[in-house]
Amino acid sequence: MRWSHPVRGLVPPCEFIPLAEATGLVVQIGAWVLDAACAQARQWRQAGLPPLRVAINVSVREFTSGLPECVAQTLQRYDLTPQWLELEITESTLMDNIERVIGIMDRITALGVSLSLDDFGTGYSSLSHLKRFPIDTLKIDRSFINGIPDDANDCAIASTVISIAL
């Protein structure tokens, strides 16, 4: 997602999402992104493409008990099966209230929607907690993979995370 500013041109999310988070506007942006992603997926489906999983980021503020119902309604509105959608969450989302988060995650995965953990390794999630989360994909933070294959530390970290994920 990019913000098309009339003077600055395309503004990357790293420059405006923190402000959207702080003001609460990220909830409305997230709802728009979910809707737009599902609208695009429907166009692809209607064009005859097989399900292509569209991944969208979900902020901590969006990760509420109402999210599973919102996702279900959006999929239904666009006549999509859950295989078309993946929700990406960050480690900070997992740290709030673990039992509440697991409950929301379970409701999302019960819909058939995939969950991925984005920027893995930047937060403080406990490995003992990690195994309790119904996560389909771990996305290693780029700070740990930028040096691959030349940086032995980056290689070791990525290898370890991959081993954990298996």
Side-chain angles (χ1 to χ4, degrees), residues 97-155:
N97 174 332
I98 292 174
E99 296 309 318
R100 181 188 70 82
V101 168
I102 290 172
I104 295 169
M105 293 173 88
D106 285 343
R107 289 175 50 214
I108 291 168
T109 57
L111 296 172
V113 173
S114 296
L115 288 172
S116 68
L117 185 57
D118 198 13
D119 299 332
F120 181 72
T122 60
Y124 302 100
S125 64
S126 160
L127 293 178
S128 66
H129 285 120
L130 186 60
K131 69 181 182 178
R132 296 180 57 201
F133 298 117
I135 305 245
D136 299 294
T137 306
L138 283 179
K139 294 177 70 180
I140 304 169
D141 185 71
R142 74 180 55 204
S143 66
F144 298 116
I145 60 171
N146 281 339
I148 294 175
D150 301 320
D151 185 313
N153 289 331
D154 283 354
C155 290

Side-chain angles (χ1 to χ4, degrees), residues 1-13 15-16:
M1 176 173 179
R2 303 292 181 267
W3 171 25
S4 183
H5 188 275
V7 176
R8 295 178 58 198
L10 289 180
V11 180
E15 292 185 27
F16 67 88

Side-chain angles (χ1 to χ4, degrees), residues 44-92:
W44 289 332
R45 183 184 51 84
Q46 289 172 336
L49 293 174
L52 303 169
R53 198 177 319 158
V54 179
I56 63 170
N57 292 314
V58 176
S59 82
V60 173
R61 284 186 176 237
E62 294 174 88
F63 206 80
T64 66
S65 60
L67 181 62
E69 182 62 26
C70 178
V71 169
Q73 289 174 355
T74 306
L75 288 171
Q76 184 177 20
R77 183 168 54 253
Y78 289 101
D79 192 28
L80 293 173
T81 59
Q83 293 77 18
W84 286 91
L85 189 61
E86 177 177 304
L87 301 182
E88 294 184 358
I89 59 175
T90 60
E91 282 184 86
S92 59

Side-chain angles (χ1 to χ4, degrees), residues 151-164:
D151 185 313
N153 289 331
D154 283 354
C155 290
I157 290 169
S159 177
T160 301
V161 171
I162 291 168
S163 295
I164 290 169

